[in-house]
Amino acid sequence: MKNKTTTLKVSNLCKTYGRIKASDNLSFQTNNGEIIALLGPNGAGKSTLMNMIAGYLAPTSGNIAVLGQDIAKNPLFAKESIGFLPEGSPLYPDINVKMFLRYMAELRGVSRERVDEVIKIANIQDIVDQRIETLSKGYQRRVGFAQSILSNPPLLLLDEPTDGLDPNQKDYIRKLIVQMAQNKTILISTHLLEEAETISTRIILLDKGKIKADGALADILKKAGTDNLADAFRRLTSQKEF
């Protein structure tokens, strides 16, 4: 059995905007081999948490450590260790896919051979010569996904990774995530309960910036007293049945 490596440790993490607490004293840690689904209603703090882990957003208080290194003290190490697909796939619209990926690879010190490998992994060979602005939302999402895995990072943050994908594309990316998780930690923010059920090994349920539940699917269902994740979601968050 592989030794577990702690890839991420979040300690007493808070992010406030005036009186609003986007993250309210969050603490958890992750190990390699885990696929963790971040679930929660709109405004629960999922994207805020991911942006703080990635170093794009400074916490109000608390600490984040990646592979034992405090990201506030060693931000470059953290960024080298993380792959991030943010919400909305921010890309350069006026260049083609291959140029974009080669540019991102240069920034990360990644070889052109790895770019070609990632293009195949993400299954985007057919559109590498197209300008990004001409691509469908689904293809743009896949290009963003390809960018996030360029450096084969030990910690991968995916914010709504299958947003805009058709059913076949969703299935492909989900299988790819499961395969990649053998040697890394993957943290996924999603609104799709089916996605959390089928590919995650662990669920962290957020509501109003707080962790309401953390564990395997069976643990979440047991805590909520139901055998249905949709019911558990409603019971453990502020959502009410109509």
Side-chain angles (χ1 to χ4, degrees), residues 141-157:
R141 205 72 185 132
R142 286 162 67 182
V143 172
F145 178 82
Q147 172 275 136
S148 73
I149 63 172
L150 273 171
S151 62
N152 195 23
L155 178 60
L156 190 56
L157 309 176

Side-chain angles (χ1 to χ4, degrees), residues 32-231:
N32 64 309
E34 287 190 297
I35 301 174
I36 300 160
L38 284 179
L39 292 181
N42 291 333
K46 303 185 296 296
S47 294
T48 298
L49 173 59
M50 282 201 165
N51 280 307
M52 286 191 288
I53 295 170
Y56 290 142
L57 191 61
T60 304
S61 61
N63 299 95
I64 302 169
V66 173
L67 295 173
Q69 297 287 321
D70 187 326
I71 70 169
K73 296 177 181 177
N74 199 346
L76 185 58
F77 174 84
K79 288 179 171 61
E80 288 174 343
S81 305
I82 293 172
F84 186 32
L85 173 63
E87 188 177 18
S89 294
L91 305 167
Y92 294 100
D94 56 345
I95 61 176
N96 70 35
V97 172
K98 185 174 282 188
M99 288 175 63
F100 168 71
L101 292 175
R102 284 182 174 177
Y103 173 66
M104 298 305 292
E106 273 190 53
L107 293 179
R108 284 187 168 267
V110 174
S111 69
R112 288 197 171 187
E113 289 74 21
R114 175 60 179 172
V115 173
D116 294 336
E117 183 181 340
V118 162
I119 286 169
K120 291 179 182 177
I121 291 172
N123 198 19
I124 54 174
Q125 302 96 310
D126 294 342
I127 50 95
V128 292
D129 295 320
Q130 285 185 233
R131 286 203 318 276
I132 289 172
E133 65 185 356
T134 69
L135 299 177
S136 67
K137 181 179 179 180
Y139 268 122
Q140 288 192 18
R141 205 72 185 132
R142 286 162 67 182
V143 172
F145 178 82
Q147 172 275 136
S148 73
I149 63 172
L150 273 171
S151 62
N152 195 23
L155 178 60
L156 190 56
L157 309 176
L158 304 175
D159 199 346
E160 302 287 349
T162 60
D163 182 40
L165 274 57
D166 66 38
N168 289 335
Q169 293 173 332
K170 277 185 168 69
D171 184 61
Y172 181 81
I173 293 297
R174 288 170 182 171
K175 287 177 178 176
L176 187 56
I177 288 170
V178 171
Q179 181 183 343
M180 290 191 306
Q182 294 176 24
N183 59 8
K184 61 176 86 264
T185 300
I186 303 179
L187 195 62
I188 300 171
S189 172
T190 181
H191 284 104
L192 303 176
L193 300 185
E194 171 207 355
E195 196 158 84
E197 287 179 299
T198 55
I199 69 171
S200 70
T201 59
R202 175 179 166 194
I203 294 171
I204 296 178
L205 184 59
L206 295 172
D207 187 31
K208 295 180 179 177
K210 293 179 179 289
I211 295 177
K212 295 295 185 177
D214 180 0
L217 175 61
D219 300 323
I220 303 296
L221 297 179
K222 183 177 180 181
K223 181 171 182 176
T226 181
D227 60 0
N228 182 284
L229 184 56
D231 287 339

